[in-house]
Amino acid sequence: MINATTLADSVRLLRLGDRATLAQAMTLVESHHPRHQALSTQLLDAIMPFTGRALRLGITGTPGAGKSTFLEVFGMLLIRRGLRVAVIAVDPSSPVSGGSILGDKTRMTQLARAEGAFIRPVPSSGHLGGASQRARELMLLCEAANFDVVIVETVGVGQSETEVAHMVDCFISLQTAGGGDEIQGIKKGLMEMADLIVINKDDGDNRNQVAIARHMYESALHILRRKYDEWQPRVLTCSALEKRGIEEVWQAISDFQTRLTDSGRLKKNRQLQAVDWLQKQTEEEALHLLFAHADFKRYFQQTLLSVKKNDLSPRAGLRHISEFIQHHYFE
């Protein structure tokens, strides 16, 4: 495990792409133990000059869209092109036990064994939207370890799409056809977030359905306001099973990266994402510090009990808590 004595050497090994050190660094950053907080901050500060060079991709899709198959074929394509690929696969945590299956390495066996790849299953731990609270920092560690492409795979449910779209350069929605998912994707605003829509399973008897779905998505894109002036989102089809259309997906991603880099939009997006991350972390830390005060925690629990017994409405309870905070900490 990384400690204060080995920190400098760990950074050196991380820069050399040592997998064991990268795994240890991720474990340290994910740790909630108080002793690890200061050390993980030092580690992140030390690697910051070596970050920002990788292409950051987000991939989401409903269960059954074939994300794991697509990612394995896509990742192997990049490796054959001489690129190093890291996958941060966010697994949903159980709301009851808090546990996760974390089975992504078993679902992407070829990619997991590849020398130029690194797969890290990460539990969402109940975090809003399903994306890991530390996913941004894990991406930075992968960049410092000289990975060329860092992919965040989401659970594809809830608000995970929105959260991941705000932490990557290019956001890809992997869809299937024939099950009504294309209608749901249009209805819930997915079109406004996706830079690329890729319809998977374009094979066998499903090809006609894929063609219909592609037409529906393309029609919807033409009447929606663009996310970026520099880029018109594209709809592509592929068959991860037959390994067709994957090259075209990579070409579209490369075109996207070139256009946004040349216009300066990519740099601006990353700056805004960093500020957004700091704001969210500040809000979480403020809550943590607030609940660390025994008097506030006691008053909060008393208010919860009053709401539970219908002595107070939730809105009145919120007003009481707000007044308590104002009186005790800001006067």
Side-chain angles (χ1 to χ4, degrees):
M1 186 67 180
I2 300 172
N3 55 48
T5 305
T6 64
L7 182 63
D9 193 49
S10 296
V11 171
R12 180 185 64 81
L13 290 172
L14 185 66
R15 294 286 298 120
L16 294 173
D18 183 75
R19 288 160 166 261
T21 303
L22 176 57
Q24 291 175 11
M26 288 182 166
T27 300
L28 177 65
V29 166
E30 289 180 305
S31 173
H32 294 287
H33 196 288
R35 288 187 308 178
H36 297 157
Q37 298 301 306
L39 187 61
S40 62
T41 299
Q42 293 176 31
L43 172 64
L44 290 167
D45 284 345
I47 67 165
M48 284 306 295
F50 312 111
T51 63
R53 298 182 181 91
L55 174 62
R56 303 167 183 175
L57 301 179
I59 295 183
T60 190
T62 54
K67 291 192 298 293
S68 296
T69 305
F70 173 82
L71 274 174
E72 178 155 70
V73 176
F74 180 69
M76 294 306 297
L77 168 68
L78 300 186
I79 288 173
R80 287 194 299 272
R81 288 173 172 261
L83 300 174
R84 302 183 74 232
V85 182
V87 178
I88 299 169
V90 181
D91 261 350
S93 297
S94 166
V96 178
S97 68
S100 295
I101 296 175
L102 302 178
D104 296 273
K105 288 189 176 181
T106 63
R107 291 187 284 119
M108 295 180 271
T109 53
Q110 186 180 8
L111 189 62
R113 291 195 299 263
E115 183 64 30
F118 182 89
I119 300 175
R120 177 74 173 198
V122 179
S124 63
S125 302
H127 187 56
L128 177 63
S132 169
Q133 184 178 8
R134 299 298 183 190
R136 285 181 175 87
E137 294 172 336
L138 300 186
M139 290 190 341
L140 294 177
L141 290 172
C142 292
E143 291 180 349
N146 291 311
F147 283 91
D148 302 295
V149 180
V150 181
I151 302 170
V152 181
E153 177 202 3
T154 80
V155 296
V157 293
Q159 296 179 7
S160 59
E161 293 96 341
T162 302
E163 188 173 349
V164 171
H166 291 162
M167 70 172 71
V168 298
D169 301 326
C170 182
F171 181 62
I172 303 162
S173 174
L174 194 69
Q175 297 293 324
T176 55
D181 289 335
E182 57 271 18
I183 301 296
Q184 293 302 317
I186 293 171
K187 282 173 59 179
K188 68 181 181 181
L190 177 64
M191 309 290 287
E192 297 175 355
M193 294 183 291
D195 301 305
L196 289 174
I197 295 175
V198 179
I199 307 173
N200 191 21
K201 302 186 179 181
D202 185 11
D203 44 49
D205 296 335
N206 201 39
R207 302 200 70 173
N208 287 337
Q209 295 288 349
V210 170
I212 294 171
R214 181 173 189 169
H215 176 71
M216 291 178 64
Y217 279 122
E218 287 177 337
S219 298
L221 284 172
H222 283 299
I223 63 174
L224 291 175
R225 182 178 177 180
R226 288 189 187 184
K227 183 178 176 181
Y228 305 119
D229 293 336
E230 302 90 339
W231 178 255
Q232 172 63 52
R234 301 179 188 176
V235 183
L236 303 171
T237 66
C238 74
S239 170
L241 185 64
E242 297 180 357
K243 302 181 180 179
R244 283 189 297 99
I246 309 300
E247 293 265 4
E248 288 77 6
V249 173
W250 175 239
Q251 184 59 55
I253 293 170
S254 300
D255 291 346
F256 172 88
Q257 182 185 22
T258 298
R259 292 194 190 183
L260 266 67
T261 299
D262 290 347
S263 69
R265 173 77 68 172
L266 196 64
K267 181 179 180 181
K268 182 179 179 181
N269 283 351
R270 288 191 173 191
Q271 291 172 340
L272 292 173
Q273 289 169 359
V275 170
D276 178 65
W277 179 88
L278 176 59
Q279 182 174 337
K280 288 181 179 178
Q281 292 297 298
T282 300
E283 292 170 358
E284 291 184 11
E285 183 64 17
L287 279 176
H288 175 75
L289 293 173
L290 188 60
F291 277 95
H293 288 270
D295 54 347
F296 171 77
K297 193 171 183 179
R298 183 166 51 251
Y299 185 82
F300 181 76
Q301 292 298 329
Q302 291 171 353
T303 306
L304 286 183
L305 182 60
S306 296
V307 170
K308 183 178 180 181
K309 294 164 61 179
N310 277 340
D311 295 334
L312 279 177
S313 71
R315 178 176 290 195
L318 176 61
R319 180 170 54 82
H320 288 183
I321 291 169
S322 178
E323 290 173 352
F324 180 89
I325 294 172
Q326 186 70 29
H327 177 71
H328 284 76
Y329 304 112
F330 293 101
E331 289 184 355

